[in-house]
Amino acid sequence: MDMYQNPHMAFPGITPEEMGFLQQGTADLDEEQKKYFYMVYSSKRKNPQDLLLFTLLGFVVVAGVQRFVIGQVGMGLLYLFTGGFCLIGTIVDLINNKTLANDFNRQMAYESYQMAKMRS
């Protein structure tokens, strides 16, 4: 099966919410723009399970790694210097890792959509 026939199958850990958002967001793109969108989006997207692993690393190695991975450098530094807000912030991120990933992926989908529309 071609990735562009069902491109959502190429994304590990995709949630129904993310799939619906992508289908709705790419509805007005032509085939070439969709290919470009999925190429760009797949390079920027973060897997929720990977983010969970980075959050778990915050308990053992360096607090705030998950925030650096999703581009929140300021929060990452704050977590780093405060020990993940004395581990409370790290525990909250552990519980909300899917929300963090979905928010980041939604932002990357919007950026990818803008890039795909500019290609026409």
Side-chain angles (χ1 to χ4, degrees):
M1 179 181 287
D2 186 15
M3 177 185 143
Y4 301 110
Q5 298 289 327
N6 193 355
H8 307 108
M9 301 306 280
F11 300 130
I14 190 166
T15 62
E17 176 184 300
E18 183 181 2
M19 189 179 300
F21 178 75
L22 291 176
Q23 288 173 342
Q24 184 180 18
T26 59
D28 66 332
L29 298 178
D30 63 31
E31 288 304 312
E32 192 62 34
Q33 288 173 327
K34 281 183 185 180
K35 286 180 183 180
Y36 186 74
F37 169 85
Y38 284 114
M39 181 186 69
V40 172
Y41 179 68
S42 66
S43 69
K44 294 181 175 195
R45 180 185 181 271
K46 300 295 181 208
N47 185 350
Q49 287 82 13
D50 291 346
L51 198 57
L52 176 63
L53 290 175
F54 286 122
T55 305
L56 289 171
L57 269 174
F59 282 114
V60 182
V61 182
V62 179
V65 173
Q66 72 278 11
R67 295 295 181 151
F68 287 111
V69 168
I70 60 174
Q72 296 178 352
V73 176
M75 284 295 286
L77 290 172
L78 190 60
Y79 273 51
L80 179 67
F81 294 129
T82 62
F85 296 131
C86 297
L87 292 181
I88 294 171
T90 304
I91 292 169
V92 170
D93 282 357
L94 188 62
I95 294 167
N96 294 326
N97 73 64
K98 286 187 180 181
T99 303
L100 287 172
N102 281 337
D103 290 346
F104 178 80
N105 289 339
R106 186 176 291 255
Q107 182 182 1
M108 292 303 105
Y110 180 73
E111 289 179 14
S112 301
Y113 174 82
Q114 294 299 322
M115 292 173 69
K117 285 301 273 186
M118 288 189 325
R119 269 198 96 189
S120 52

